[in-house]
Amino acid sequence: MQSGLLKGSHDLVYFEPKLYEDNRGYFFERFNKEAFFKNTGSNLQLFQSNESCSKKNELRGLHYQLNKPQAKLVTVLQGIALDIVVDLRTNSSTFGQWFSIRLDSSLKNSLWIPRGYAHGFLSLSNNMIFSYMVDNSYDPASEQTLIWNDSSLKIDWGIEDPIISSKDAIGLTFNKAKKFDTLLAQ
């Protein structure tokens, strides 16, 4: 399994497994607890596994939870997505920076997102299936949304008019959004 820190980040970890293919199909390790700990330092205690399906050009996010922050291991099971995270931890060396990566079902790649980041993605293919493994429960009362096209963040989504939900259309700007005052335990 290849893994490593996402360029420009000190704690976002990219995973790309080794595929074993033959005339029957393929096999790979989606998750290996020892390799995961070695690369992230986290003893991920999986709380919930979620899945969503999106149309091409649908944008979801940028979401985060204040009271019950979630660390996430995300991957695309079908299709391709542009995955975006924004560091909201005020004492982090990457505070206020955004990072992007393409998650592609043909690569079987994944991204580890620690607590304290806003997260969103843009579907680059029809019927894109996105998987989230999270370490804490969903808490709608503390969920926050950053506006996807915030002028101070200047995120390059590669699209000007995505399909978005009414909730995501009224997200907060980075300057008005609540942030995390400390680095959060994983």
Side-chain angles (χ1 to χ4, degrees), residues 114-152:
R115 293 176 179 181
Y117 284 84
H119 173 253
F121 59 87
L122 173 68
S123 176
L124 301 176
S125 56
N126 274 320
N127 299 314
M128 186 273 299
I129 299 176
F130 198 90
S131 171
Y132 322 61
M133 291 185 0
V134 298
D135 73 341
N136 209 346
S137 62
Y138 175 60
D139 183 21
S142 76
E143 185 178 37
Q144 303 286 302
T145 301
L146 284 180
I147 191 73
W148 70 277
N149 59 353
D150 181 271
S151 60
S152 67

Side-chain angles (χ1 to χ4, degrees), residues 25-170:
Y26 66 84
F27 170 84
F28 72 97
E29 286 184 349
R30 170 74 65 199
F31 180 81
N32 177 299
K33 186 174 182 170
E34 289 177 0
F36 184 80
F37 179 78
K38 178 182 172 189
N39 288 284
T40 67
S42 173
N43 279 317
L44 176 63
Q45 299 296 316
L46 182 61
F47 184 87
Q48 190 170 313
S49 181
N50 305 315
E51 184 175 299
S52 67
C53 182
S54 300
K55 300 175 191 174
K56 185 174 183 177
N57 298 327
E58 184 172 335
L59 189 151
R60 296 180 186 238
L62 297 154
H63 304 142
Y64 63 102
Q65 295 181 177
L66 288 170
N67 296 334
K68 291 186 177 182
Q70 295 177 319
K72 300 174 183 177
L73 183 62
V74 298
T75 192
V76 169
L77 302 177
Q78 176 179 296
I80 303 170
L82 177 66
D83 202 66
I84 304 279
V85 296
V86 178
D87 191 346
L88 297 176
R89 302 163 302 166
T90 58
N91 62 347
S92 167
S93 64
T94 56
F95 171 69
Q97 294 179 31
W98 61 272
F99 305 90
S100 69
I101 191 163
R102 283 173 68 107
L103 296 176
D104 186 328
S105 61
S106 67
L107 297 176
K108 313 293 186 213
N109 55 352
S110 300
L111 179 65
W112 167 246
I113 307 165
R115 293 176 179 181
Y117 284 84
H119 173 253
F121 59 87
L122 173 68
S123 176
L124 301 176
S125 56
N126 274 320
N127 299 314
M128 186 273 299
I129 299 176
F130 198 90
S131 171
Y132 322 61
M133 291 185 0
V134 298
D135 73 341
N136 209 346
S137 62
Y138 175 60
D139 183 21
S142 76
E143 185 178 37
Q144 303 286 302
T145 301
L146 284 180
I147 191 73
W148 70 277
N149 59 353
D150 181 271
S151 60
S152 67
L153 292 173
K154 297 182 173 109
I155 296 172
D156 182 5
W157 291 94
I159 190 169
E160 291 183 25
D161 192 24
I163 302 165
I164 58 173
S165 71
S166 56
K167 174 179 85 171
D168 292 348
I170 59 168

